[in-house]
Amino acid sequence: MPIYVEKKPDVLIGEDGTRTDGRSPLDLRPIKIEVGILERADGSALVEWGGNRVLAAVFGPREVHPKHMLLPDRALLRLRYNMAPFSTPERKRPGPDRRSVELSKVIRTALLPAVFIEKYPGSAIDVFVEILRSDAGTRVAGVTAASLALADAGIAMRGLVAGCSVGRVDDFIVVDPNHDEDMWGDVDMPMAVLFEDRKITLLQADGPLTVEQFNECLRLGMACCEMVYELQKEALRRPYVMVERRALGVA
Amino acid sequence: MPIYVEKKPDVLIGEDGTRTDGRSPLDLRPIKIEVGILERADGSALVEWGGNRVLAAVFGPREVHPKHMLLPDRALLRLRYNMAPFSTPERKRPGPDRRSVELSKVIRTALLPAVFIEKYPGSAIDVFVEILRSDAGTRVAGVTAASLALADAGIAMRGLVAGCSVGRVDDFIVVDPNHDEDMWGDVDMPMAVLFEDRKITLLQADGPLTVEQFNECLRLGMACCEMVYELQKEALRRPYVMVERRALGVA
Amino acid sequence: MPIYVEKKPDVLIGEDGTRTDGRSPLDLRPIKIEVGILERADGSALVEWGGNRVLAAVFGPREVHPKHMLLPDRALLRLRYNMAPFSTPERKRPGPDRRSVELSKVIRTALLPAVFIEKYPGSAIDVFVEILRSDAGTRVAGVTAASLALADAGIAMRGLVAGCSVGRVDDFIVVDPNHDEDMWGDVDMPMAVLFEDRKITLLQADGPLTVEQFNECLRLGMACCEMVYELQKEALRRPYVMVERRALGVA
Amino acid sequence: MSEERDEIGSVLLKEYVLEVLQSGKRIDGRDPLEMREISVERGTFTKSYGEAWLSLGRTKVLVGISLDVGEPFPDTPNKCVFVSNVELLPLASPNFEPGPPEEYSIELARVVDRAFRSANAIDFEKLVIEPGKLVYTIFLDMYVLDHKGNLADALTLASLVALMRTRVPRIELGPEGNVVVKEEFFPMPVINKPVSFTFVKIGNYLLLDPSLEEETIADSIITLAVDDQGRICSIQLRKGYFTDDEIKKAYEIARERMEEVRSKLEEVI
Amino acid sequence: MSEERDEIGSVLLKEYVLEVLQSGKRIDGRDPLEMREISVERGTFTKSYGEAWLSLGRTKVLVGISLDVGEPFPDTPNKCVFVSNVELLPLASPNFEPGPPEEYSIELARVVDRAFRSANAIDFEKLVIEPGKLVYTIFLDMYVLDHKGNLADALTLASLVALMRTRVPRIELGPEGNVVVKEEFFPMPVINKPVSFTFVKIGNYLLLDPSLEEETIADSIITLAVDDQGRICSIQLRKGYFTDDEIKKAYEIARERMEEVRSKLEEVI
Amino acid sequence: MSEERDEIGSVLLKEYVLEVLQSGKRIDGRDPLEMREISVERGTFTKSYGEAWLSLGRTKVLVGISLDVGEPFPDTPNKCVFVSNVELLPLASPNFEPGPPEEYSIELARVVDRAFRSANAIDFEKLVIEPGKLVYTIFLDMYVLDHKGNLADALTLASLVALMRTRVPRIELGPEGNVVVKEEFFPMPVINKPVSFTFVKIGNYLLLDPSLEEETIADSIITLAVDDQGRICSIQLRKGYFTDDEIKKAYEIARERMEEVRSKLEEVI
């Protein structure tokens, strides 16, 4: 019997746009990125983003098992998104559920246009995304970490893929929704973008948006992904990068 | 928690032999057969029989996967009997249960003597029997449909296999038992016969029958299967056949 | 809902060392061994030990399936420890649980140093240990039976492996703990020894032991295993051997 | 195999499709933004609480609704439980294999599910028997019978029809906490009707309602659902990539076509 | 592998079996309708509620009964729950592999189960503690130890012995709905004793109680169970085909032999 | 693969390790009985009830505690429920594959679990809310992040830290049998602190805290846990064999080193 029950806060967003964690609508949460922290994996990255802590690692190019999955003209890109049992207040049963199967697919789809899979015919590239703490936005943190782990493993890529969510809470469009907003807000719209090309490779949404709201979400999401992309580039140059909460420059 | 509980009718069969659906003991329920309704499958047939709706389809001869199942001197005939979750008033959990594993085996066994498997060495013939609505007699409707789907796929056969159940309700021997009779009656005896040879290839029974009752069941079952066989032959000639409830000509 | 609940006896061991089944601390329970009782297996042994009844059988050396498990320079020794549903008062669900997976590994580890696996490169030796009745000490009865089944199958061995548990109940060190002592006592320490070499190949313990207690347990365990080993040798010579409860000669 | 993408010798097919598209038509003769015919069987049914056998072109699907009662989730004591499931029946395609649901069917189920939830299509609060204690469970079981492309839209359409046809038995909580099933029925409270539109991108062409061949060779795939008010209620980018302008264009098209599709469905219910 | 049929180089074996049959005997010396020896261990047992280790010729099986209590099924509030399970232990044959039950063991379990249910062998209503609320659950776990042919009959016989040996602890429903287990026992209410007979057809020969070799090369297999009154209570055509006359003949033989088998079992209980 | 033993071309490695050992040192420069550095992250955490990210040399593990309430087991109505689980994450080694727990991770989980149970490390009776009715469930989830040898000791150490850091929300049974979660917390009642020591035997050398390379080529492996009072509280012979003298020696070493390790952990909590 679980002992933790989610409760909706009285006010999700103030009249002046103040959010439950004190941010204003266009503030991102603090992000910390560390690349190459694991030894056995070929590439790895740890992303701490608000209360999320996401570890991604890559093995490959390596041999494909089972053999019948081998693709003769390109690499087989596999990805597993997995939540730790202790990543949520109520323990999550180990093993894949339907949500994690979908997110594994969505994150893999987001990375695929970035990877030169045709350079590694007949091989496997395995990406593991482990959610060690979860606090809304794990899939976009996962894309961001996985993309860095691929780069750290030396896999040839067209560019980095950076992710971020935007959402709607009442009539406010907010960037990088937190747990309360994800749970009780109106819309969450996770995105990921392949830079420099600005190609959208991940896009989902789960609530009603008018044409105007949708266009605004797209615009802000693109801008957020770009900020995350700048951090990614920095992280590949240094041991690790860390930024405090910062406001989006496009508002 | 299920909201549907089966209830036994006060009278299963009247003193004059009137059954809960108004039939007399030797009446079959209405049957409608349509052959070749699917495009992707190599052969298919839809059988609506009383409240049953059974879709069968065949793929093959095709390559065997996994390879170790291959039989060098004949085809591997595989069959899956599966009930849709919405085929019963109380939802059936998806996936095979013990009953459907047994019925898959029993139906495959019923078809096997009819198929020239030795003409397709090293290949697979896969038969899928989907119960879309269930109303007693799904296995015999399944044999009937599967046999037509094999013919529609152009698989070489010794003959068609036609199925029908007979049963005992109190002291009456009844043909083609309905749901109530299957559930609350004394005996259900499903049969299938390979025509023209009149070989019995499916025979089960689940309740006590004296020698005399058993012989009568066998005789009526054989006659019912023959009527179904006539319909099968007709269905292969036209787009579809449909018969109203009809009395057995042998009574 | 189970109808059997374990209850702790008022007295586990009397002041004079009398145990719940009347034994004194250094008495073993009756043991009966029968070798070669199955026909289809290459080797087999049935061990009845107190209320335990353990059947072990061996197939091999034989072909390895699946192929990728094959070891080119030695035999693959596999072992499954399995409890029958009716081996305990409360029915045990069929299929491996975590305990049986561990015990399969522990028993295999105990046998491995005894088998000349390098004499059977590329082959499989499969050992099955079936617990038909369980009464504390099934793993050591299992090692004992499996080792005889290997010998019966003609597998080349460095020696037989004999098992026995010792334990602590209050301040008494007891040999061959019974069900109550295993369940409610302080320590159970199962052991197995490869003879003639006196190499310890199985050792576990599950409760606190001081240095002195531990040394005493080791000494008594070694002596018990030796007694079991003598029975094993006898059992290989005759159709079967049976001994009544007997006291350890080393006390 | 999780998707149909590799099933046909796709390089030649793609060349052919692109060549035909240059003439402004698709290989089955449709215009780029033309949908295939939708038809729904008017059958009666006795076992399921609501059912729809729907064809989208030659794609055939069957959706059935089952009902049950149980406890609500602790964080939504005032809502019924809604469970969606897709079965890619092995008879629907030589590439579908029997077994537990895989990535492809799970994604489809979640895409359909999200369209209904996000549009608040069903009044979940009307399906509460005793708040926090007893609510209905709706099972939406989606069966793919013949896969000729664009399962997402076919399943969403068929689900909407099946839900609108559903009759719910009235249930009360008895004095001793027991469940009392009445002999009355009320219609499933469908209060918004999401419609789904799937687009593929092949080269520079944006095509609506892809056929199996088009899906197989598509560079990119996206599914959008729009609600009664023309609001986007769910999006799933399912393959490849899109620019923001391409996505805006797809949304615009979806808004233009939604009434036509919705009125076609109203006819058959 | 689901069955033993392919395990021996079967063409030569079949020729040999048929050749010997021409002389009126089977390869193990039996007459066509002769059964192998049945023997049952008279062991005592402390863990299971009832048990039988039975040999049919050199086939060895072990059946154990476990008991439990729980809710009855909603449509049979006045009956206990009865669950049958067959384990083809991997030590019983090189062709049996560890793992979840497969087609062969499921068919065997259901054939045995049906024989007992159809014969009304157990008075299920005597095993109700509180109608609609609390009933016994009987688990019939059948273990195959050494497979030398005709598991269906060996398991049905052993199950009958195990059930007849079973002692059921008396249980009452306490005042607060709790379960009270008494220290008394009563015998399992076995009120009819079905016996199972398996026939194979090889060429034109009908053989009773097939050995492993005969089973392997059989053209057709059928299992019949007959009850105390000589009524057929279950049939399973398990391979190949039979004419109606062949089935009637098998039934006649089963009726002739049933008393002999039943009295042999009575001895050992 | 269940263990790492075959991962490196092991014959040459073994020769090299033995050659270096002749000089009194190990290939990573340690003395035979020297442990690698232990370090624990001092992070704060908001989701788990207690957590420890620990490095033993370059082996990295993460242990998280989750809490829940439920019924106790019928034979221990006065004890909470304690569940241990090890995940060998596929990112921790190229030899670990996703999927259900296998032999290697199950053995590790049971070895750690037994150390805590046998040492009576947690006062299980303090975690009973209503005897026989409602108790806490402690989930000890152990994650292997980077496998560089000796997981057993790393996981036992990290588990001890995670348990000592755990804050338990106070829970009461309400008047109607409902669960009332208070806003207070109390520390997990850790009353004994078992420490685990793993030894390998390579040739005649006994080494403490094996690296991955040493584990791979070890002839024998044994893990011992000792409690606060220096008593042995669990043993697991995991590979090969030992003489009784070798085991006694290992125990002696464990007793000598336990204070040093325990005080290192106290620092970080």
Side-chain angles (χ1 to χ4, degrees), chain E residues 190-210:
Chain E
V190 178
I191 53 175
N192 198 333
K193 293 173 191 137
V195 179
S196 157
F197 294 91
T198 294
F199 296 85
V200 298
K201 209 168 67 180
I202 303 176
N204 292 316
Y205 296 94
L206 195 67
L207 311 178
L208 177 58
D209 180 25

Side-chain angles (χ1 to χ4, degrees), chain B residues 140-158:
Chain B
V140 291
V143 171
T144 303
S147 157
L148 286 166
L150 282 164
D152 185 44
I155 303 290
M157 293 170 80
R158 291 186 175 81

Side-chain angles (χ1 to χ4, degrees), chain C residues 1 39-40 53 84 91 134, chain E residues 7 41 58 68 146-147:
Chain C
M1 207 184 332
E39 283 206 34
R40 300 295 302 276
R53 185 186 230 188
R91 181 177 187 257
S134 123
Chain E
E7 84 177 42
E41 186 204 38
R58 296 180 297 172
D68 216 349
D146 216 2
H147 178 15

Side-chain angles (χ1 to χ4, degrees), chain E:
Chain E
M1 173 177 294
S2 62
E3 286 168 65
E4 298 272 326
R5 70 168 72 132
D6 291 311
E7 84 177 42
I8 302 171
S10 47
V11 177
L12 288 177
L13 177 61
K14 189 164 181 176
E15 279 175 21
Y16 172 63
V17 167
L18 281 168
E19 204 183 294
V20 176
L21 280 169
Q22 282 185 313
S23 70
K25 288 287 179 184
R26 295 156 76 170
I27 53 172
D28 55 9
R30 282 188 285 161
D31 290 331
L33 300 178
E34 188 181 339
M35 293 185 70
R36 289 172 294 176
E37 196 61 39
I38 299 167
S39 71
V40 186
E41 186 204 38
R42 196 175 279 282
T44 54
F45 21 86
T46 53
K47 292 291 161 182
S48 149
Y49 292 92
E51 210 176 283
W53 176 307
L54 180 142
S55 303
L56 175 62
R58 296 180 297 172
T59 287
K60 283 194 182 64
V61 302
L62 173 60
V63 171
I65 308 293
S66 301
L67 298 173
D68 216 349
V69 291
E71 274 188 45
F73 290 111
D75 47 9
T76 52
N78 276 304
K79 288 187 178 179
C80 73
V81 175
F82 181 70
V83 179
S84 308
N85 188 41
V86 165
E87 294 271 334
L88 301 172
L89 292 189
L91 52 68
S93 161
N95 297 322
F96 294 164
E97 283 171 16
E102 306 254 343
E103 189 181 276
Y104 186 31
S105 62
I106 289 174
E107 185 183 39
L108 282 171
R110 289 178 63 86
V111 165
V112 177
D113 187 272
R114 214 174 285 137
F116 284 91
R117 281 183 205 277
S118 299
N120 294 312
I122 300 167
D123 189 344
F124 285 166
E125 304 192 2
K126 282 262 166 67
L127 295 165
V128 172
I129 297 159
E130 187 75 27
K133 289 199 180 146
L134 196 70
V135 300
Y136 287 89
T137 303
I138 307 170
F139 292 98
L140 178 71
D141 283 295
M142 297 172 263
Y143 255 44
V144 176
L145 303 179
D146 216 2
H147 178 15
K148 297 292 290 181
N150 196 9
L151 299 178
D153 295 355
L155 292 172
T156 308
L157 291 169
S159 297
L160 180 57
V161 177
L163 285 165
M164 291 178 70
R165 287 176 169 180
T166 296
R167 299 168 68 236
V168 183
R170 193 168 303 281
I171 287 174
E172 289 174 7
L173 201 59
E176 294 157 34
N178 54 324
V179 170
V180 181
V181 183
K182 299 278 181 178
E183 306 257 321
E184 298 159 49
F185 290 82
F186 61 94
M188 176 68 68
V190 178
I191 53 175
N192 198 333
K193 293 173 191 137
V195 179
S196 157
F197 294 91
T198 294
F199 296 85
V200 298
K201 209 168 67 180
I202 303 176
N204 292 316
Y205 296 94
L206 195 67
L207 311 178
L208 177 58
D209 180 25
S211 67
L212 180 62
E213 291 77 9
E214 290 162 348
E215 231 174 71
T216 306
I217 56 152
D219 297 306
S220 302
I221 307 181
I222 195 166
T223 296
L224 313 174
V226 285
D227 72 4
D228 273 356
Q229 291 99 59
R231 296 179 299 182
I232 212 161
C233 57
S234 79
I235 314 176
Q236 185 89 339
L237 195 166
R238 291 166 53 199
K239 186 181 179 187
Y241 63 85
F242 289 86
T243 63
D244 46 3
D245 286 338
E246 287 166 345
I247 292 168
K248 288 176 191 169
K249 184 177 168 199
Y251 183 10
E252 201 180 309
I253 297 164
R255 282 169 54 86
E256 282 165 25
R257 316 298 296 277
M258 68 183 198
E259 277 317 322
E260 171 192 341
V261 174
R262 215 170 265 126
S263 65
K264 194 163 292 180
L265 293 183
E266 303 277 5
E267 282 171 32
V268 299
I269 290 162

